Amino acid sequence: TINAPSGDFYPQGGCFDGKYYYQAFINRDRVNNETNNIDRIVKVDASTGKVVKTSGDLALNHANDITVCADGTLLIVHNNPNRQNVSFVDSETLTLVRTEKIPYAIYCMDYSAEKDRFVLGMAGGQDFRLMTGDLKTGTAYERTLRKATSLTSGYTTQGCACDGEF
């Protein structure tokens, strides 16, 4: 169990890099549809369970999912209300590096080092797509990998995970 930062924070996306677990916590802005959420990232040593670092206040909206990029930077999926925004956070300092707008509205994202590809969960359903490791799209990555079926429709979407086979 990871204790939330003090205040009115609750957990959202998280990921594991092999040594540390990173958990996003949000203080939800219910008045403005999460536009002004206050987010914090907590870094935990997985071998001891001890909190190593807690970020300052970050503007990551719903912080629905986190993945670790090839360079060790954390990529945070904003989701609501800025579904095309992803932010890069330094995994050591837990400070914001930059925010980018990608061409898809997404709710989750994971990185495969084996393939140097991201898998993205498309907002509003359970469809998935691919992007290159440098967040570029192209003909081979525009296709939908999986379409929702009656067995997956209607469920709440959160995070995703992938491996070399996706």
Side-chain angles (χ1 to χ4, degrees), residues 3-165:
N3 292 327
S6 61
D8 189 19
F9 286 88
Y10 68 93
Q12 272 305 315
C15 72
F16 179 62
D17 70 2
K19 182 174 182 182
Y20 298 105
Y21 179 74
Y22 301 89
Q23 178 69 60
F25 287 90
I26 68 173
N27 183 318
R28 195 168 185 183
D29 168 22
R30 296 179 190 279
V31 174
N32 299 300
N33 190 30
E34 300 191 83
T35 299
N36 300 312
N37 280 1
I38 297 169
D39 308 280
R40 293 195 185 136
I41 307 295
V42 176
K43 180 178 183 176
V44 177
D45 185 316
S47 65
T48 65
K50 303 253 187 252
V51 172
V52 174
K53 188 167 189 63
T54 300
S55 74
D57 293 349
L58 300 169
L60 306 170
N61 298 125
H62 196 72
N64 209 54
D65 203 8
I66 304 175
T67 191
V68 181
C69 299
D71 65 0
T73 305
L74 304 175
L75 184 147
I76 318 293
V77 173
H78 283 232
N79 195 12
N80 192 45
N82 296 303
R83 288 176 169 76
Q84 289 181 269
N85 285 2
V86 295
S87 285
F88 296 85
V89 171
D90 184 286
S91 61
E92 293 297 317
T93 64
L94 299 184
T95 56
L96 183 67
V97 175
R98 72 184 185 281
T99 298
E100 289 187 24
K101 186 174 185 176
I102 63 171
Y104 302 116
I106 63 172
Y107 70 88
C108 65
M109 195 169 196
D110 198 25
Y111 177 73
S112 169
E114 293 173 59
K115 298 284 188 178
D116 189 31
R117 301 279 184 271
F118 288 97
V119 61
L120 294 73
M122 306 306 288
Q126 287 80 28
D127 295 350
F128 292 88
R129 291 185 184 259
L130 294 175
M131 288 185 81
T132 62
D134 58 0
L135 295 178
K136 302 292 182 213
T137 60
T139 306
Y141 307 111
E142 293 290 335
R143 64 189 168 85
T144 298
L145 294 176
R146 180 180 184 284
K147 290 245 182 223
T149 69
S150 61
L151 298 176
T152 60
S153 295
Y155 289 90
T156 299
T157 51
Q158 187 66 43
C160 71
C162 68
D163 58 20
E165 301 299 316

